[in-house]
Amino acid sequence: GIVTPVGEGETDITVTTDDGGHTAVCKVTITKPAEISATGVELDRTTMSLTLGVDTSGVLKATVLPEGATNQSVTWSSSNETVATVSDGIVTPVSEGETDITVTTEDGGFTATCNVTITKPAVIPVTDVKLDKETMSLTLGEDTSGTLKATVLPEGATNQSVTWTSSNTTVATVSDGIVTPVGEGETDITVTTD
């Protein structure tokens, strides 16, 4: 008694008894589904905040209403592409500011909007600096230079600038971590964060 539609049209479904061959008929009409028009569109959020240099993108999801609407196609736009661009719901920050990301249904032109704020990253202060060596020995005439590497902490600190000094430039000089021997003796090479 389970009727399965196969194609558009009409058919008679007949039931026949084994005992006596009695029959009953049901006329079945198979139609193509009517188009279900869009009545609106929703976004999964109405606000979004992204940080330059930290967030490469944000994602917005659009739902065309009602569920099962025939035409699910939408277009995306940004009210200020100098702040953020959008493609298929992926929002890419460009510069500091605000923009409205709008999704529009192809069927009916219904819209939904998300306000996007792009901010500059907060300044991450320097807490320490480390050198890759605590001691270094150089030989006059054999070693033309030695190299020290400084690591500003925490990783990702905003200002990575450092200055280098030698406590005795008649023994060794330093420039960008490269220590050049000048004369016999000892000196302290110091790195200082800005």
Side-chain angles (χ1 to χ4, degrees):
I2 297 168
V3 180
T4 305
V6 177
E8 191 176 14
E10 289 186 359
T11 186
D12 289 334
I13 302 295
T14 303
V15 62
T16 305
T17 63
D18 285 349
D19 182 8
H22 301 282
T23 63
V25 177
C26 175
K27 182 176 284 298
V28 176
T29 304
I30 308 297
T31 58
K32 284 184 179 175
E35 285 211 4
I36 301 170
S37 297
T39 58
V41 64
E42 288 179 348
L43 286 172
D44 59 339
R45 55 170 81 180
T46 56
T47 61
M48 177 186 287
S49 294
L50 299 173
T51 305
L52 283 171
V54 177
D55 301 309
T56 54
S57 65
V59 179
L60 289 172
K61 184 181 174 193
T63 304
V64 177
L65 302 174
E67 205 172 299
T70 307
N71 188 343
Q72 294 285 321
S73 298
V74 295
T75 55
W76 296 87
S77 62
S78 170
S79 64
N80 190 345
E81 292 196 342
T82 62
V83 172
T85 60
V86 64
S87 176
D88 294 327
I90 298 169
V91 180
T92 304
V94 178
S95 65
E96 192 176 16
E98 281 190 24
T99 185
D100 287 328
I101 300 298
T102 302
V103 63
T104 305
T105 62
E106 190 174 277
D107 178 15
F110 299 100
T111 63
T113 302
C114 176
N115 180 261
V116 176
T117 303
I118 309 298
T119 58
K120 284 185 179 175
V123 173
I124 301 170
V126 174
T127 58
D128 203 357
V129 65
K130 302 281 186 194
L131 287 172
D132 61 338
K133 298 174 187 168
E134 292 183 359
T135 62
M136 178 186 286
S137 295
L138 298 173
T139 304
L140 281 171
E142 290 181 17
D143 300 313
T144 55
S145 67
T147 303
L148 290 171
K149 183 182 174 193
T151 303
V152 177
L153 299 173
E155 205 170 299
T158 306
N159 189 342
Q160 294 283 322
S161 299
V162 295
T163 54
W164 296 86
T165 56
S166 170
S167 64
N168 189 344
T169 54
T170 61
V171 173
T173 60
V174 63
S175 176
D176 292 328
I178 298 169
V179 181
T180 305
V182 177
E184 193 175 9
E186 288 188 2
T187 185
D188 289 329
I189 302 297
T190 302
V191 64
T192 306
T193 62
D194 281 3

